[in-house]
Amino acid sequence: YSMIYRQLEKHPEKRIHPIFRYFKEWCNDEFRHGEAFAVMMRAQPELLRGHNRLWIRFFLLAVYATMYVRDHGRPELYHALGLDPTEYDYKVFEITSDISRQVFPFTLNTDDPRFRAGLDRLLRISVARTRARAEGGVWNHVKRAALGAAGLGIFARLYCLPTIKHELPRDIRMQPVW
């Protein structure tokens, strides 16, 4: 949200809906939610160790993959705001990684070419599944299932990519990155 807020501050003519007049408050509210989440996580360090690290990785990857596919599924919105969906997503991944670094013991390497190629493949699969659903029929039902399995395989490969490990800061107050 902070990137959209900054974009609309520079280009108020791109506020395509009245809700964007309240975006600063929305961004601040989202930041406070993140701070509360960080305090809860850091207050229970066992949630950041052991098998929970697998869930952290899953959570981060699911958020990034869903965002990438969803945002590219509606490029008209981003173009109306004066943003390129790919550039926007990778900038948001960078900001999100900076923030999550304050809580989680690792971040995903979103600059890895394998990561980027995997997200592009997930997007192509999503587009093909949507097309098959619209066409209907038994064959397209089978096709959607096969595409779903392929997407699951790509997600699993992305999940297995190396992460970027780092030390957690001692201070549990989050530092704003915007």
Side-chain angles (χ1 to χ4, degrees), residues 31-117:
F31 181 76
R32 284 189 296 273
H33 289 140
E35 267 190 320
F37 177 78
V39 168
M40 290 187 315
M41 294 295 289
R42 300 280 302 282
Q44 301 177 61
E46 68 276 5
L47 295 177
L48 302 172
R49 293 192 293 262
H51 75 281
N52 289 323
R53 294 168 64 92
L54 300 173
W55 286 110
I56 293 168
R57 184 186 289 220
F58 178 83
F59 169 75
L60 291 171
L61 179 56
V63 167
Y64 291 178
T66 301
M67 179 181 168
Y68 191 84
V69 169
R70 183 200 64 217
D71 290 353
H72 284 80
R74 51 184 182 194
E76 300 84 10
L77 170 65
Y78 293 91
H79 292 161
L81 296 173
L83 298 167
D84 173 81
T86 301
E87 289 175 24
Y88 170 79
D89 283 348
Y90 280 104
K91 183 62 178 170
V92 169
F93 296 165
E94 179 184 322
I95 292 168
T96 304
S97 292
D98 287 344
I99 292 169
S100 65
R101 185 175 289 117
Q102 299 176 48
V103 179
F104 298 137
F106 59 84
T107 54
L108 302 181
N109 185 357
T110 60
D111 291 326
D112 185 327
R114 297 171 295 179
F115 183 85
R116 292 177 178 234

XYZ file of all heavy atoms in Angstrom, residues 31-117:
736
model
N 0.773 -0.728 8.872
C 2.063 -0.755 9.554
C 1.885 -1.127 11.022
O 2.636 -1.931 11.571
C 2.776 0.591 9.415
C 4.123 0.604 10.071
C 5.203 -0.028 9.479
C 4.296 1.210 11.307
C 6.444 -0.033 10.097
C 5.529 1.206 11.922
C 6.607 0.578 11.321
N 0.862 -0.556 11.666
C 0.610 -0.892 13.074
C 0.253 -2.357 13.237
O 0.659 -3.000 14.206
C -0.486 0.018 13.636
C 0.002 1.420 13.942
C -1.040 2.234 14.693
N -2.253 2.461 13.918
C -2.433 3.465 13.071
N -1.477 4.356 12.890
N -3.556 3.599 12.420
N -0.511 -2.911 12.300
C -0.818 -4.348 12.360
C 0.469 -5.167 12.258
O 0.647 -6.152 12.971
C -1.769 -4.760 11.231
C -3.143 -4.258 11.407
N -3.886 -3.778 10.354
C -3.942 -4.139 12.490
C -5.065 -3.392 10.786
N -5.131 -3.605 12.081
N 1.350 -4.767 11.367
C 2.632 -5.457 11.222
C 3.469 -5.372 12.480
O 4.099 -6.354 12.887
N 3.477 -4.202 13.103
C 4.209 -4.052 14.358
C 3.664 -4.974 15.441
O 4.422 -5.606 16.165
C 4.125 -2.601 14.852
C 5.252 -1.733 14.419
C 5.217 -0.403 15.151
O 4.118 0.158 15.357
O 6.304 0.063 15.504
N 2.347 -5.045 15.559
C 1.730 -5.917 16.569
C 2.083 -7.372 16.295
O 2.423 -8.130 17.219
C 0.214 -5.723 16.578
N 2.024 -7.772 15.031
C 2.393 -9.138 14.658
C 3.847 -9.409 15.019
O 4.179 -10.465 15.571
C 2.151 -9.336 13.162
C 2.568 -10.674 12.655
C 1.777 -11.794 12.877
C 3.757 -10.825 11.953
C 2.163 -13.038 12.405
C 4.149 -12.055 11.482
C 3.350 -13.167 11.712
N 4.727 -8.457 14.740
C 6.153 -8.625 15.036
C 6.385 -8.801 16.526
O 7.156 -9.668 16.950
C 6.949 -7.427 14.514
N 5.727 -7.999 17.337
C 5.894 -8.102 18.786
C 5.425 -9.470 19.267
O 6.090 -10.119 20.087
C 5.147 -6.950 19.505
C 5.065 -7.198 21.000
C 5.821 -5.627 19.214
N 4.288 -9.936 18.751
C 3.784 -11.260 19.163
C 4.760 -12.366 18.771
O 5.027 -13.274 19.556
C 2.403 -11.521 18.557
C 1.324 -10.657 19.155
S -0.367 -11.033 18.626
C -0.237 -11.244 16.869
N 5.291 -12.289 17.563
C 6.228 -13.313 17.100
C 7.523 -13.282 17.904
O 8.039 -14.314 18.321
C 6.546 -13.143 15.617
C 5.378 -13.378 14.684
S 4.769 -15.067 14.701
C 6.080 -15.910 13.886
N 8.053 -12.098 18.112
C 9.325 -11.972 18.824
C 9.179 -12.299 20.302
O 10.140 -12.697 20.945
C 9.900 -10.571 18.637
C 10.187 -10.205 17.180
C 11.463 -10.770 16.623
N 12.651 -10.404 17.333
C 13.275 -9.243 17.254
N 12.806 -8.304 16.459
N 14.363 -9.019 17.931
N 7.983 -12.113 20.864
C 7.751 -12.440 22.268
C 7.703 -13.954 22.490
O 7.798 -14.421 23.616
C 6.456 -11.800 22.760
N 7.547 -14.692 21.409
C 7.508 -16.153 21.475
C 8.548 -16.706 20.495
O 8.203 -17.217 19.435
C 6.114 -16.657 21.117
C 5.028 -16.124 22.037
C 3.676 -16.592 21.596
O 3.415 -17.785 21.561
N 2.818 -15.651 21.237
N 9.835 -16.622 20.830
C 10.894 -16.989 19.888
C 10.815 -18.436 19.396
O 11.329 -18.741 18.329
C 12.188 -16.730 20.654
C 11.811 -16.491 22.054
C 10.352 -16.161 22.102
N 10.140 -19.294 20.137
C 10.003 -20.680 19.670
C 9.214 -20.746 18.355
O 9.351 -21.708 17.600
C 9.343 -21.555 20.744
C 7.900 -21.248 21.044
C 7.681 -20.110 22.055
O 8.660 -19.465 22.477
O 6.520 -19.857 22.392
N 8.427 -19.709 18.072
C 7.684 -19.667 16.813
C 8.587 -19.384 15.617
O 8.161 -19.515 14.478
C 6.578 -18.609 16.889
C 5.475 -18.868 17.905
C 4.494 -17.710 17.922
C 4.772 -20.183 17.612
N 9.829 -18.995 15.882
C 10.766 -18.650 14.813
C 11.838 -19.724 14.631
O 12.798 -19.514 13.898
C 11.420 -17.303 15.112
C 10.448 -16.134 15.295
C 11.179 -14.896 15.766
C 9.684 -15.872 14.017
N 11.676 -20.866 15.305
C 12.694 -21.931 15.255
C 12.065 -23.258 14.851
O 10.851 -23.394 14.775
C 13.335 -22.084 16.635
C 14.150 -20.895 17.073
C 14.992 -21.209 18.298
N 14.188 -21.452 19.482
C 13.927 -20.547 20.425
N 14.410 -19.341 20.310
N 13.197 -20.858 21.476
N 12.955 -24.228 14.631
C 12.522 -25.598 14.356
C 11.643 -25.707 13.133
O 11.847 -25.016 12.126
N 10.633 -26.586 13.239
C 9.751 -26.824 12.085
C 8.938 -25.587 11.714
O 8.422 -25.494 10.598
C 8.823 -28.015 12.359
C 7.708 -27.714 13.298
N 7.870 -27.666 14.664
C 6.417 -27.407 13.056
C 6.721 -27.359 15.232
N 5.827 -27.189 14.282
N 8.831 -24.626 12.616
C 8.101 -23.389 12.289
C 8.777 -22.612 11.162
O 8.122 -21.844 10.459
C 7.954 -22.511 13.532
C 6.978 -23.106 14.513
O 5.967 -23.683 14.128
N 7.290 -23.008 15.788
N 10.078 -22.823 10.986
C 10.785 -22.159 9.886
C 10.218 -22.610 8.534
O 10.187 -21.832 7.583
C 12.280 -22.435 9.976
C 12.923 -21.799 11.221
C 14.324 -22.309 11.453
N 15.221 -21.943 10.381
C 15.974 -20.838 10.360
N 15.944 -20.012 11.384
N 16.757 -20.593 9.346
N 9.757 -23.853 8.471
C 9.139 -24.349 7.237
C 7.846 -23.595 6.949
O 7.539 -23.268 5.795
C 8.874 -25.844 7.334
C 10.100 -26.733 7.570
C 9.682 -28.173 7.826
C 11.076 -26.621 6.414
N 7.082 -23.322 8.020
C 5.842 -22.572 7.856
C 6.117 -21.124 7.491
O 5.375 -20.503 6.708
C 4.988 -22.642 9.124
C 4.356 -23.977 9.276
C 4.650 -24.937 10.202
C 3.332 -24.539 8.448
N 3.872 -26.042 10.004
C 3.048 -25.828 8.935
C 2.623 -24.074 7.345
C 2.092 -26.647 8.353
C 1.664 -24.896 6.764
C 1.413 -26.163 7.274
N 7.177 -20.538 8.043
C 7.547 -19.160 7.686
C 7.859 -19.099 6.192
O 7.386 -18.201 5.480
C 8.750 -18.673 8.525
C 8.350 -18.529 9.993
C 9.308 -17.362 7.968
C 9.527 -18.345 10.944
N 8.632 -20.039 5.713
C 8.986 -20.079 4.287
C 7.734 -20.226 3.434
O 7.562 -19.539 2.425
C 9.949 -21.240 4.023
C 10.437 -21.286 2.597
C 11.272 -22.511 2.331
N 12.555 -22.416 2.984
C 13.689 -22.813 2.431
N 13.690 -23.329 1.221
N 14.817 -22.704 3.077
N 6.836 -21.120 3.848
C 5.590 -21.326 3.106
C 4.773 -20.033 3.086
O 4.263 -19.628 2.036
C 4.770 -22.460 3.732
C 3.460 -22.676 3.040
C 3.387 -23.444 1.893
C 2.298 -22.087 3.527
C 2.175 -23.629 1.234
C 1.091 -22.267 2.876
C 1.026 -23.038 1.734
N 4.648 -19.386 4.225
C 3.879 -18.157 4.327
C 4.429 -17.084 3.381
O 3.683 -16.479 2.606
C 3.891 -17.657 5.780
C 3.359 -16.271 5.955
C 2.001 -16.009 5.888
C 4.224 -15.205 6.179
C 1.508 -14.720 6.051
C 3.745 -13.914 6.338
C 2.379 -13.674 6.276
N 5.741 -16.850 3.442
C 6.338 -15.824 2.584
C 6.136 -16.151 1.111
O 5.740 -15.289 0.322
C 7.829 -15.676 2.897
C 8.183 -15.067 4.249
C 9.685 -15.181 4.513
C 7.725 -13.619 4.336
N 6.403 -17.398 0.730
C 6.257 -17.773 -0.668
C 4.799 -17.679 -1.124
O 4.516 -17.186 -2.223
C 6.800 -19.190 -0.912
C 6.689 -19.696 -2.340
C 7.379 -18.755 -3.320
C 7.268 -21.100 -2.433
N 3.879 -18.126 -0.292
C 2.461 -18.060 -0.662
C 2.021 -16.613 -0.868
O 1.295 -16.305 -1.820
C 1.604 -18.740 0.406
N 2.470 -15.715 0.002
C 2.115 -14.294 -0.131
C 2.679 -13.733 -1.434
O 1.973 -13.084 -2.207
C 2.610 -13.485 1.090
C 2.534 -11.989 0.831
C 1.810 -13.859 2.329
N 3.962 -13.983 -1.705
C 4.590 -13.420 -2.902
C 3.985 -14.012 -4.177
O 3.691 -13.280 -5.120
C 6.095 -13.658 -2.888
C 6.860 -12.879 -1.837
C 8.223 -13.039 -1.706
C 6.243 -11.987 -0.979
C 8.949 -12.328 -0.755
C 6.952 -11.276 -0.027
C 8.308 -11.448 0.078
O 9.019 -10.756 1.009
N 3.804 -15.326 -4.217
C 3.270 -15.967 -5.423
C 1.835 -15.519 -5.690
O 1.473 -15.222 -6.835
C 3.344 -17.489 -5.287
N 1.030 -15.454 -4.643
C -0.358 -15.028 -4.808
C -0.418 -13.587 -5.300
O -1.186 -13.255 -6.209
C -1.119 -15.170 -3.476
O -1.068 -16.538 -3.063
C -2.560 -14.720 -3.607
N 0.401 -12.748 -4.721
C 0.410 -11.337 -5.125
C 0.811 -11.195 -6.591
O 0.169 -10.467 -7.356
C 1.370 -10.551 -4.239
C 1.466 -9.099 -4.586
S 2.646 -8.278 -3.513
C 2.788 -6.739 -4.384
N 1.866 -11.902 -6.981
C 2.361 -11.790 -8.345
C 1.295 -12.229 -9.353
O 1.010 -11.517 -10.322
C 3.624 -12.640 -8.495
C 4.375 -12.394 -9.778
C 5.274 -11.340 -9.885
C 4.194 -13.205 -10.889
C 5.966 -11.105 -11.060
C 4.882 -12.982 -12.069
C 5.769 -11.929 -12.151
O 6.450 -11.698 -13.309
N 0.693 -13.375 -9.122
C -0.318 -13.891 -10.053
C -1.552 -12.989 -10.049
O -2.089 -12.641 -11.107
C -0.679 -15.356 -9.702
C -1.899 -15.823 -10.472
C 0.515 -16.272 -9.972
N -1.992 -12.582 -8.870
C -3.181 -11.734 -8.764
C -2.957 -10.383 -9.448
O -3.796 -9.913 -10.218
C -3.528 -11.533 -7.291
C -4.801 -10.724 -7.077
C -4.875 -10.128 -5.691
N -3.778 -9.173 -5.548
C -3.092 -8.987 -4.430
N -3.363 -9.668 -3.359
N -2.113 -8.100 -4.386
N -1.819 -9.733 -9.161
C -1.570 -8.407 -9.731
C -1.449 -8.451 -11.251
O -1.889 -7.527 -11.931
C -0.306 -7.788 -9.133
C -0.492 -7.387 -7.681
O -1.628 -7.459 -7.167
O 0.509 -7.006 -7.045
N -0.866 -9.512 -11.775
C -0.740 -9.618 -13.225
C -2.055 -10.038 -13.883
O -2.221 -9.886 -15.090
C 0.387 -10.584 -13.594
C 1.731 -9.975 -13.397
N 2.330 -9.890 -12.161
C 2.577 -9.389 -14.269
C 3.500 -9.288 -12.285
N 3.673 -8.962 -13.547
N -2.983 -10.511 -13.078
C -4.301 -10.860 -13.587
C -5.198 -9.651 -13.779
O -6.258 -9.744 -14.379
N -4.787 -8.515 -13.245
C -5.552 -7.267 -13.410
C -4.612 -6.098 -13.706
O -4.547 -5.116 -12.959
C -6.418 -7.006 -12.195
C -5.694 -7.065 -10.890
C -6.619 -6.901 -9.721
N -5.839 -6.917 -8.513
C -6.317 -7.048 -7.321
N -7.611 -7.153 -7.146
N -5.535 -7.045 -6.273
N -3.899 -6.174 -14.815
C -2.913 -5.131 -15.131
C -3.544 -3.764 -15.382
O -2.879 -2.743 -15.202
C -2.225 -5.660 -16.388
C -3.226 -6.578 -17.006
C -3.974 -7.192 -15.850
N -4.826 -3.740 -15.752
C -5.481 -2.461 -16.031
C -5.461 -1.555 -14.801
O -5.272 -0.344 -14.912
C -6.936 -2.679 -16.487
C -7.073 -3.512 -17.743
C -7.042 -5.021 -17.474
O -7.107 -5.448 -16.289
O -6.917 -5.774 -18.445
N -5.656 -2.143 -13.618
C -5.636 -1.352 -12.386
C -4.277 -0.693 -12.195
O -4.191 0.509 -11.936
C -5.966 -2.232 -11.174
C -5.748 -1.568 -9.815
C -6.701 -0.393 -9.622
C -5.909 -2.595 -8.701
N -3.219 -1.468 -12.343
C -1.873 -0.928 -12.120
C -1.502 0.094 -13.182
O -0.883 1.109 -12.881
C -0.855 -2.068 -12.008
C -1.143 -2.832 -10.742
C -2.001 -3.919 -10.745
C -0.632 -2.408 -9.528
C -2.320 -4.578 -9.574
C -0.943 -3.058 -8.355
C -1.795 -4.141 -8.379
O -2.125 -4.769 -7.214
N -1.903 -0.150 -14.408
C -1.628 0.830 -15.463
C -2.411 2.121 -15.215
O -1.895 3.213 -15.448
C -1.930 0.245 -16.828
C -0.974 -0.853 -17.198
N -1.244 -1.781 -18.165
C 0.241 -1.190 -16.701
C -0.232 -2.636 -18.264
N 0.671 -2.287 -17.375
N -3.644 2.005 -14.715
C -4.433 3.197 -14.393
C -3.766 4.007 -13.277
O -3.873 5.234 -13.245
C -5.852 2.806 -13.988
N -3.073 3.316 -12.374
C -2.355 3.992 -11.287
C -0.972 4.473 -11.730
O -0.264 5.117 -10.956
C -2.203 3.046 -10.093
C -3.493 2.610 -9.410
C -3.207 1.546 -8.362
C -4.210 3.800 -8.796
N -0.595 4.132 -12.965
C 0.710 4.537 -13.484
C 1.835 3.624 -13.031
O 2.988 4.046 -12.948
N 1.508 2.366 -12.739
C 2.497 1.400 -12.258
C 2.578 0.204 -13.190
O 1.571 -0.206 -13.770
C 2.110 0.902 -10.853
C 2.046 1.959 -9.750
C 1.353 1.387 -8.515
C 3.445 2.437 -9.408
N 3.758 -0.361 -13.321
C 3.948 -1.613 -14.041
C 3.820 -2.739 -13.008
O 4.508 -2.702 -11.990
C 5.340 -1.639 -14.675
C 5.642 -2.979 -15.292
O 5.190 -3.227 -16.412
O 6.323 -3.798 -14.624
N 2.950 -3.729 -13.230
C 2.733 -4.761 -12.218
C 4.005 -5.519 -11.816
O 4.201 -5.819 -10.637
C 1.717 -5.715 -12.845
C 1.141 -5.005 -13.999
C 2.086 -3.922 -14.400
N 4.877 -5.802 -12.765
C 6.096 -6.546 -12.431
C 7.034 -5.703 -11.579
O 7.512 -6.155 -10.532
C 6.804 -7.030 -13.707
O 5.899 -7.860 -14.449
C 8.051 -7.831 -13.375
N 7.292 -4.483 -12.014
C 8.156 -3.592 -11.232
C 7.562 -3.344 -9.849
O 8.276 -3.338 -8.846
C 8.357 -2.261 -11.958
C 9.217 -2.361 -13.194
C 9.288 -1.034 -13.943
O 9.071 0.031 -13.313
O 9.548 -1.069 -15.150
N 6.261 -3.119 -9.819
C 5.573 -2.887 -8.548
C 5.755 -4.087 -7.617
O 6.138 -3.929 -6.458
C 4.087 -2.623 -8.805
C 3.243 -2.615 -7.556
C 3.210 -1.498 -6.725
C 2.482 -3.727 -7.207
C 2.443 -1.482 -5.580
C 1.714 -3.720 -6.057
C 1.699 -2.604 -5.244
O 0.942 -2.598 -4.100
N 5.485 -5.281 -8.120
C 5.577 -6.476 -7.273
C 6.979 -6.670 -6.724
O 7.155 -6.931 -5.527
C 5.122 -7.720 -8.030
C 3.613 -7.809 -8.152
O 2.903 -7.048 -7.463
O 3.135 -8.648 -8.932
N 7.992 -6.532 -7.565
C 9.354 -6.765 -7.066
C 9.803 -5.673 -6.094
O 10.574 -5.953 -5.170
C 10.341 -6.977 -8.216
C 10.221 -8.397 -8.714
C 9.568 -8.691 -9.896
C 10.709 -9.455 -7.961
C 9.415 -9.993 -10.319
C 10.562 -10.762 -8.377
C 9.910 -11.036 -9.565
O 9.750 -12.322 -9.972
N 9.308 -4.476 -6.261
C 9.611 -3.434 -5.274
C 8.899 -3.751 -3.951
O 9.477 -3.604 -2.873
C 9.192 -2.057 -5.811
C 9.538 -0.931 -4.872
C 11.037 -0.827 -4.656
C 11.382 0.333 -3.754
N 12.771 0.341 -3.333
N 7.659 -4.213 -4.022
C 6.931 -4.598 -2.809
C 7.623 -5.793 -2.145
O 7.742 -5.839 -0.916
C 5.451 -4.906 -3.111
C 4.761 -5.553 -1.919
C 4.727 -3.630 -3.511
N 8.118 -6.754 -2.947
C 8.847 -7.886 -2.360
C 10.075 -7.387 -1.607
O 10.408 -7.880 -0.533
C 9.288 -8.880 -3.433
C 8.170 -9.571 -4.173
C 8.435 -10.245 -5.356
C 6.867 -9.554 -3.719
C 7.439 -10.890 -6.046
C 5.842 -10.198 -4.412
C 6.133 -10.870 -5.580
N 10.766 -6.400 -2.183
C 11.958 -5.845 -1.535
C 11.595 -5.170 -0.202
O 12.244 -5.399 0.821
C 12.611 -4.835 -2.480
C 13.845 -4.165 -1.940
C 14.366 -3.103 -2.903
O 14.311 -3.306 -4.130
O 14.827 -2.064 -2.401
N 10.545 -4.373 -0.226
C 10.103 -3.696 1.002
C 9.635 -4.722 2.032
O 9.987 -4.641 3.214
C 8.978 -2.683 0.683
C 9.529 -1.522 -0.140
C 8.316 -2.178 1.958
C 8.453 -0.619 -0.739
N 8.867 -5.693 1.584
C 8.361 -6.727 2.489
C 9.499 -7.534 3.083
O 9.481 -7.876 4.272
C 7.361 -7.642 1.752
O 6.311 -6.826 1.212
C 6.767 -8.684 2.685
N 10.509 -7.826 2.289
C 11.674 -8.546 2.807
C 12.409 -7.714 3.852
O 12.849 -8.248 4.878
C 12.620 -8.937 1.674
O 12.011 -9.906 0.850
N 12.530 -6.412 3.611
C 13.168 -5.537 4.601
C 12.405 -5.557 5.922
O 12.992 -5.580 6.995
C 13.258 -4.098 4.091
C 14.301 -3.921 3.003
O 15.163 -4.813 2.849
O 14.258 -2.890 2.310
N 11.093 -5.545 5.839
C 10.273 -5.566 7.048
C 10.328 -6.943 7.705
O 10.525 -7.054 8.919
C 8.818 -5.174 6.719
C 8.758 -3.702 6.299
C 7.904 -5.436 7.914
C 7.432 -3.285 5.713
N 10.167 -8.007 6.921
C 10.138 -9.351 7.511
C 11.494 -9.737 8.094
O 11.566 -10.542 9.022
C 9.653 -10.390 6.492
O 10.536 -10.518 5.419
N 12.561 -9.122 7.599
C 13.903 -9.358 8.144
C 13.965 -8.950 9.620
O 14.778 -9.454 10.371
C 14.918 -8.567 7.319
C 16.347 -8.784 7.671
C 17.289 -8.045 6.717
N 17.261 -8.693 5.406
C 16.845 -8.110 4.278
N 16.453 -6.867 4.275
N 16.844 -8.759 3.145
N 13.085 -8.040 10.017
C 13.048 -7.597 11.399
C 12.364 -8.606 12.312
O 12.430 -8.465 13.536
C 12.335 -6.244 11.483
C 13.032 -5.149 10.701
C 12.257 -3.855 10.726
O 11.825 -3.412 11.773
N 12.075 -3.245 9.554
N 11.710 -9.603 11.718
C 10.963 -10.588 12.508
C 11.450 -12.006 12.242
O 11.672 -12.772 13.177
C 9.447 -10.501 12.184
C 8.665 -11.530 12.988
C 8.925 -9.107 12.441
N 11.590 -12.362 10.980
C 11.909 -13.738 10.610
C 13.419 -13.932 10.468
O 14.132 -12.998 10.102
C 11.223 -14.113 9.293
C 9.710 -14.071 9.366
C 8.980 -13.521 8.335
C 9.030 -14.593 10.452
C 7.597 -13.486 8.375
C 7.646 -14.558 10.509
C 6.927 -14.009 9.468
N 13.902 -15.157 10.703
C 15.347 -15.417 10.640
C 15.899 -15.529 9.215
O 17.092 -15.743 9.039
C 15.494 -16.734 11.396
C 14.166 -17.406 11.260
C 13.149 -16.302 11.197
N 15.062 -15.406 8.214
C 15.515 -15.455 6.822
C 14.476 -14.763 5.951
O 13.354 -14.512 6.381
C 15.732 -16.903 6.342
C 14.503 -17.752 6.430
C 13.548 -17.744 5.426
C 14.283 -18.565 7.529
C 12.407 -18.526 5.519
C 13.155 -19.339 7.635
C 12.211 -19.318 6.630
N 14.880 -14.451 4.721
C 13.965 -13.918 3.716
C 14.156 -14.730 2.441
O 15.144 -15.450 2.288
C 14.240 -12.424 3.436
O 15.617 -12.259 3.102
C 13.887 -11.555 4.628
N 13.218 -14.602 1.539
C 13.331 -15.270 0.245
C 14.234 -14.439 -0.660
O 14.242 -13.212 -0.585
C 11.959 -15.425 -0.405
C 10.915 -16.199 0.399
C 9.612 -16.287 -0.386
C 11.411 -17.575 0.785
N 14.971 -15.116 -1.523
C 15.831 -14.413 -2.468
C 15.019 -14.122 -3.730
O 15.031 -14.893 -4.688
C 17.073 -15.249 -2.790
C 18.036 -14.506 -3.677
O 17.768 -13.391 -4.113
N 19.159 -15.119 -3.958
N 14.322 -13.002 -3.711
C 13.448 -12.653 -4.837
C 14.225 -12.155 -6.049
O 13.637 -11.966 -7.112
C 12.409 -11.598 -4.409
O 13.092 -10.430 -3.959
C 11.516 -12.129 -3.295
N 15.537 -11.962 -5.897
C 16.369 -11.577 -7.034
C 16.929 -12.787 -7.783
O 17.496 -12.631 -8.866
C 17.536 -10.696 -6.573
C 17.065 -9.336 -6.096
O 16.081 -8.814 -6.661
O 17.671 -8.796 -5.157
N 16.774 -13.976 -7.220
C 17.253 -15.199 -7.857
C 16.494 -15.390 -9.176
O 15.257 -15.392 -9.187
C 17.013 -16.384 -6.917
C 17.579 -17.692 -7.420
O 17.605 -17.926 -8.652
O 17.989 -18.512 -6.574
N 17.196 -15.543 -10.299
C 16.511 -15.722 -11.591
C 15.562 -16.929 -11.590
O 14.533 -16.908 -12.267
C 17.650 -15.935 -12.595
C 18.864 -15.392 -11.933
C 18.655 -15.487 -10.454
N 15.880 -17.948 -10.813
C 14.988 -19.113 -10.724
C 13.677 -18.740 -10.033
O 12.610 -19.243 -10.404
C 15.664 -20.259 -9.969
C 16.915 -20.788 -10.686
C 17.672 -21.749 -9.823
N 18.198 -21.036 -8.648
C 18.903 -21.596 -7.682
N 19.173 -22.886 -7.717
N 19.342 -20.884 -6.656
N 13.755 -17.861 -9.048
C 12.550 -17.396 -8.364
C 11.664 -16.627 -9.348
O 10.470 -16.885 -9.461
C 12.935 -16.509 -7.172
C 11.759 -16.039 -6.368
C 11.220 -16.827 -5.368
C 11.185 -14.799 -6.613
C 10.134 -16.396 -4.623
C 10.090 -14.354 -5.877
C 9.571 -15.154 -4.882
N 12.272 -15.710 -10.069
C 11.509 -14.887 -11.015
C 10.909 -15.727 -12.144
O 9.753 -15.532 -12.519
C 12.387 -13.769 -11.553
C 12.712 -12.756 -10.454
C 13.636 -11.659 -10.907
N 13.841 -10.728 -9.810
C 13.636 -9.421 -9.895
N 13.235 -8.880 -11.024
N 13.835 -8.657 -8.844
N 11.685 -16.679 -12.647
C 11.177 -17.556 -13.710
C 10.023 -18.409 -13.187
O 9.042 -18.646 -13.895
C 12.305 -18.438 -14.248
